[in-house]
């Protein structure tokens, strides 16, 4: 399986009216087309969302994970969205084992559900909700090297038919959305990020470990709020040794947003 980093939009943006009406159409079309680009239907999905942070890496261990509608101020019907994909406790255990063998303590959470960084993009990518999903948290310290290493520990799952997905946003500064002053800043950071992803693995990982030094990095991800970028670092780790490339990019709300793939 390849490894993906996908944008998950703004809350339940794909399932409500927006102004302008077509704001999220391009991103939605990209997400809807992802499954057709895969070599086969995944046996399971491991998804890292920017909306779950713990002291140590954690994985969802429930066989029937509930949904966490962790957004506010949206229309009432968006809190009734469903995504009944099963969990897979055996895979959760295997993830914890792989991370533990790599020297990374990992906890299995038997009750936590899936946040909107999971079910919103997956409703478009795999609308039948018939592929088991296990969510992996970020680590609260947001250490780049630790997240790359965690992804590298999961790389073996790809050979077992498991799709590893990072779900976040390549630009995530709430003050910047809709502000034309951020248009060139986000574009410059995106160009750096693309060049980093497309580098050979050693250089790629070295650059991503130092992502905060990139042009306009902190305009794109303010200090202490880079949780939407870190899923890309996990994806890059899982894609170590492979070719990285940008597979979607668009200017949305005056900022450049992109998706990446590792094969």
């Amino acid at each position: 399986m390849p490894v993906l980093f996908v944008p998950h939009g703004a809350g339940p943006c794909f399932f409500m009216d927006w102004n302008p009406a077509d704001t999220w159409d391009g991103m939605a079309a990209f997400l809807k087309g992802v499954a057709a680009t895969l070599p086969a239907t995944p046996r399971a999905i491991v998804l890292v969302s920017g909306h779950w942070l713990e002291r140590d890496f954690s994985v969802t261990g429930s066989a029937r994970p509930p949904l966490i509608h962790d957004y506010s101020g949206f229309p009432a019907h968006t809190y009734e969205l469903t995504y009944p994909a099963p969990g897979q406790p055996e895979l959760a255990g295997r993830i914890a084992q792989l991370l533990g063998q790599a020297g990374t303590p990992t906890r299995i959470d038997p009750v936590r559900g899936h946040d909107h960084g999971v079910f919103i993009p997956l409703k478009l990518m795999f609308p039948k909700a018939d592929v088991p999903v296990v969510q992996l948290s970020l680590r609260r310290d947001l250490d780049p090297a630790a997240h790359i290493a965690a992804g590298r520990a999961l790389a073996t799952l790809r050979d077992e038919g498991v799709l590893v997905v990072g779900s976040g946003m390549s630009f995530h500064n709430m003050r910047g959305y809709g502000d034309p002053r951020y248009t060139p800043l986000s574009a410059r950071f995106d160009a750096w990020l693309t060049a980093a992803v497309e580098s050979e693995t050693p250089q790629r990982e070295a650059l991503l470990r130092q992502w905060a030094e990139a042009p306009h990095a902190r305009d794109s991800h303010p200090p202490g709020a880079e949780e939407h970028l870190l899923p890309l670092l996990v994806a890059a780790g899982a894609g170590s040794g492979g070719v990285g490339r940008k597979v979607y990019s668009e200017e949305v709300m005056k900022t450049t947003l992109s998706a990446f793939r590792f094969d």
Side-chain angles (χ1 to χ4, degrees):
M1 282 289 160
V3 182
L4 301 173
F5 171 77
V6 302
H8 60 233
C13 61
F14 308 115
F15 304 98
M16 56 182 283
D17 294 331
W18 208 271
N19 186 22
D22 64 351
T23 298
W24 301 101
D25 286 1
M27 189 180 295
F30 162 72
L31 292 170
K32 289 177 181 177
V34 164
T37 72
L38 302 178
T41 300
R43 178 176 68 80
I45 297 168
V46 176
L47 191 145
V48 188
S49 163
H51 289 277
W52 186 19
L53 287 80
E54 297 284 353
R55 185 190 68 179
D56 296 319
F57 287 109
S58 300
V59 289
T60 54
S62 173
R64 294 289 172 186
L67 298 190
I68 305 171
H69 295 83
D70 55 335
Y71 39 74
S72 59
F74 291 95
H77 76 271
T78 64
Y79 298 89
E80 300 173 2
L81 293 171
T82 62
Y83 193 73
Q88 194 170 94
E90 298 85 359
L91 178 57
R94 177 140 167 73
I95 292 168
Q97 178 187 40
L98 289 170
L99 288 171
Q101 289 172 347
T104 303
T106 303
R107 183 176 69 94
I108 298 176
D109 189 323
V111 297
R112 192 187 191 277
H114 293 156
D115 59 59
H116 80 272
V118 179
F119 71 84
I120 291 297
L122 289 184
K123 279 181 72 68
L124 297 176
M125 295 165 65
F126 298 95
K128 294 181 180 179
D130 55 355
V131 179
V133 179
V134 174
Q135 183 175 356
L136 172 67
S137 78
L138 298 175
R139 211 169 72 179
R140 193 174 291 126
D141 64 5
L142 302 174
D143 177 64
H147 288 82
I148 293 171
R152 200 180 301 120
L154 302 180
T156 187
L157 296 175
R158 299 173 56 191
D159 294 329
E160 301 170 16
V162 175
L163 178 67
V164 179
V165 179
S167 171
M169 297 286 271
S170 57
F171 175 96
H172 195 257
N173 182 341
M174 301 305 291
R175 294 184 177 183
Y177 291 126
D179 187 339
R181 293 176 297 179
Y182 282 81
T183 303
L185 308 187
S186 67
R188 192 168 175 204
F189 176 71
D190 190 85
W192 179 92
L193 196 61
T194 301
V197 165
E198 294 179 350
S199 299
E200 297 292 330
T201 294
Q203 183 181 8
R204 175 196 303 155
E205 294 186 354
L207 289 169
L208 291 176
R209 282 193 294 269
Q210 303 297 322
W211 73 267
E213 299 176 8
H216 299 294
R218 287 309 188 181
D219 292 315
S220 302
H221 298 277
E226 58 261 35
E227 73 285 339
H228 276 64
L229 181 66
L230 268 291
L232 171 60
L233 275 61
V234 178
S240 291
V243 175
R245 58 193 171 97
K246 180 155 63 179
V247 290
Y248 157 84
S249 192
E250 186 180 10
E251 186 179 304
V252 181
M253 297 181 68
K254 306 298 183 183
T255 63
T256 300
L257 300 174
S258 296
F260 300 95
R261 173 172 169 149
F262 302 89
D263 287 285

